[in-house]
Amino acid sequence: MTHPSTPDRAVSVVLAGGGTAGHISPLLAIAGAIVDERPGARITAVGTETGMETRLVPAAGFELRTIDRVPMPRRPSTDLLKLPVRLLRAVRQARAIVADAGADVIVGVGGYVSTPVYLAAWTRRIPVVIHEANARPGIANRVGARIAARVAVAFDGTGLTDAVLVGMPMRRSIADLDRAAGRIDARTSLGLDPDRPTLIVTGGSSGAASMNRAVAGSVAELTAAGIQILHITGRGKRVLGDDGAPLAVPGYHQVEFVDGMERVYAAADLLVARAGAATVSEVGAVGLPVVLVPLPHGNGEQRLNAAGLVACGGGILVDDAAFTADWIRRNVLPLVSDAPRLAAMSTASYAQGVRDADRRMAELVLAVAGSRR
């Protein structure tokens, strides 16, 4: 029988992360790049039973194993008292998964699920490779970085020791996107006029009520100026008119969700969005001008995520409280129709983008696995 660590056995990689698309998307991109580089690799993803990974990971063709969700309370609470027992149980579950997979390396992208897997790896002396997506790291990756063999980041200035800048792993359909070549097909598929100036607004998969209100208040002026709007409102956050029915204005299109953000990026002349790490990295990769409205709560990472893109001229930053219908009329309306300025923003954004982070991570992970084997 072949021992799990012998060189002729296919490399086994366990990837930990889940909960939101912000964790799952880079995890799947890394997994895909590892398989591209090493077709026989065994991939095991670890998540929880309540996150989006229960749908997205199997759909991508990878095995998903689950452990208990262990939130990390930031202040004294009942949950804090329960933390040791919950964490110990989750670590035991993770140890069983890691052992069953015969893992050569653990890859973590942060989130609640990662901490127990990092600790399980440490107890079994399996090397850990971390990818931190945000400019300000979360608790899980701050803990994990202390035991990691390698730490990779999407943005400079995270403060994680010995971190290497690789960018944000993303789907090849986005990284390889030619916006100009795909524009007409993308607009047609989204029900838009192929020839009209196009503004697309999204608050992310869960939507942003404050952004939705601001856009609704500026629809009349924008459409009167010949601008068409695709408003991705978020699930359960339809924008209603005065009559209580979904807002309906010629040139204004609202949907709760779009499957395939590459279509959005190809269709838009200008995007308005939150400054999540994936969004900031993806618009840079495809060279899309953007107005970034950082989430007003959390630990402030979204403003930091946006800093590089804004500094290079590829994006505009506006506080959530300042993003009003009046601000849109004064700033967004003239910009959407200003082709030279949009072109300059696109050039600056594209120059800032990283399009091979998935491959860089795969090389890093396989090198660490190889050094152990």
Side-chain angles (χ1 to χ4, degrees):
M1 181 177 178
T2 303
H3 189 274
S5 64
T6 55
D8 57 340
R9 184 184 62 86
V11 65
S12 175
V13 182
V14 171
L15 299 103
T20 66
H23 287 128
I24 302 164
S25 294
L27 182 151
L28 292 177
I30 295 167
I34 290 170
V35 172
D36 286 345
E37 178 70 22
R38 198 72 60 82
R42 178 181 178 184
I43 302 293
T44 307
V46 182
T48 70
E49 293 182 353
T50 58
M52 295 173 66
E53 61 269 24
T54 57
R55 175 174 58 88
L56 297 178
V57 171
F62 297 114
E63 178 186 8
L64 176 68
R65 302 282 298 274
T66 60
I67 64 174
D68 291 348
R69 182 175 179 271
V70 185
M72 299 291 177
R74 296 178 183 273
R75 54 182 58 89
S77 65
T78 304
D79 280 340
L80 185 60
L81 295 175
K82 295 177 181 177
L83 178 61
V85 172
R86 287 176 172 171
L87 184 59
L88 182 58
R89 184 167 60 241
V91 170
R92 286 173 176 162
Q93 293 167 342
R95 277 176 56 88
I97 293 169
V98 167
D100 186 53
D104 296 299
V105 61
I106 306 296
V107 183
V109 296
Y112 292 136
V113 75
S114 292
T115 302
V117 181
Y118 294 155
L119 294 174
W122 179 67
T123 64
R124 296 187 64 86
R125 298 184 179 180
I126 299 170
V128 171
V129 177
I130 284 176
H131 183 272
E132 174 53 56
N134 286 296
R136 178 171 286 164
I139 294 173
N141 277 353
R142 291 204 304 271
V143 171
R146 298 185 179 188
I147 62 171
R150 298 299 299 271
V151 177
V153 295
F155 300 102
D156 271 327
T158 62
L160 296 177
T161 304
D162 297 326
V164 56
L165 180 66
V166 300
M168 172 67 82
M170 63 188 71
R171 289 185 292 115
R172 298 313 311 170
S173 58
I174 294 175
D176 297 334
L177 178 67
D178 182 333
R179 289 181 56 235
R183 180 172 293 118
I184 291 176
D185 286 347
R187 288 182 180 176
T188 302
S189 75
L190 292 168
L192 303 174
D193 185 330
D195 300 316
R196 289 181 68 180
T198 302
L199 171 69
I200 300 185
V201 181
T202 175
S205 58
S206 59
S210 60
M211 291 175 64
N212 289 352
R213 287 192 296 270
V215 172
S218 61
V219 163
E221 289 86 351
L222 289 166
T223 54
I227 297 165
Q228 65 181 337
I229 307 161
L230 175 62
H231 187 182
I232 307 169
T233 64
R235 297 193 188 279
K237 290 187 171 66
R238 289 188 302 171
V239 175
L240 306 179
D242 293 336
D243 59 357
L247 181 63
V249 176
Y252 172 77
H253 310 260
Q254 64 166 301
V255 295
E256 293 190 1
F257 177 76
V258 170
D259 186 19
M261 284 300 289
E262 61 272 15
R263 293 190 295 152
V264 169
Y265 297 152
D269 289 305
L270 178 69
L271 181 73
V272 176
R274 289 298 194 202
T279 299
V280 172
S281 300
E282 289 171 0
V283 297
V286 305
L288 175 60
V290 64
V291 173
L292 294 166
V293 189
L295 199 67
H297 46 81
N299 64 5
E301 75 274 8
Q302 288 206 354
R303 175 175 287 275
L304 296 175
N305 292 345
L309 193 62
V310 172
C312 80
I316 297 169
L317 187 72
V318 56
D319 287 340
D320 185 80
F323 185 73
T324 62
D326 183 59
W327 191 93
I328 293 172
R329 285 189 287 266
R330 288 185 289 106
N331 296 276
V332 173
L333 195 157
L335 179 56
V336 180
S337 302
D338 188 342
R341 188 179 176 195
L342 289 175
M345 291 178 70
S346 178
T347 299
S349 179
Y350 191 81
Q352 182 84 0
V354 177
R355 287 162 282 277
D356 63 348
D358 58 336
R359 294 165 183 158
R360 295 186 191 186
M361 278 299 297
E363 291 171 2
L364 200 62
V365 170
L366 291 171
V368 169
S371 65
R372 179 176 188 259
R373 290 156 68 88

